[in-house]
């Protein structure tokens, strides 16, 4: 949550407890927890499961994020 708020403020973040909402897990092919899905324009762009390092996640999100939201500077 902090990563998104600090580095990627234009991303909408959603948390789903797949044990309470198993239909969401099924619709998205989630078999392991935790799993992070990153969508751009409605298409899945990134899927990371299990051990998720913050630095790794930051690097993987940066490229599609910069394509969607190029900096003005």
């Amino acid at each position: 949550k902090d990563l998104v708020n600090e580095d990627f403020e234009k991303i909408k973040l959603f948390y789903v407890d797949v044990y309470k909402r198993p239909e969401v897990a099924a619709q998205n092919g989630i078999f392991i927890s935790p799993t992070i899905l990153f969508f751009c324009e409605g298409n899945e762009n990134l899927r990371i499961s299990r051990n998720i390092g913050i630095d790794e996640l930051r690097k993987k999100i940066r490229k599609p994020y910069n394509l969607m939201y190029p900096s003005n500077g």
Side-chain angles (χ1 to χ4, degrees):
K1 183 176 176 179
D2 291 339
L3 172 68
V4 171
N5 291 335
E6 293 171 11
D7 291 7
F8 307 106
E9 70 253 4
K10 294 181 182 178
I11 290 178
K12 293 180 186 175
L13 181 67
F14 297 94
Y15 170 81
V16 177
D17 184 334
V18 295
Y19 298 106
K20 292 181 181 177
R21 302 286 310 269
E23 71 279 7
V24 175
Q27 289 169 352
N28 289 285
I30 297 172
F31 302 103
I32 254 175
S33 184
T35 296
I36 294 176
L37 301 179
F38 181 69
F39 289 85
C40 291
E41 296 184 345
N43 298 309
E44 184 179 321
N45 189 272
L46 175 66
R47 176 181 292 252
I48 303 175
S49 297
R50 291 208 177 199
N51 297 327
I52 303 166
I54 295 297
D55 289 332
E56 174 191 4
L57 182 59
R58 180 182 289 114
K59 288 176 187 174
K60 291 188 179 213
I61 291 175
R62 176 116 9 242
K63 184 176 180 180
Y65 182 84
N66 287 343
L67 289 172
M68 292 291 299
Y69 306 106
S71 66
N72 295 328

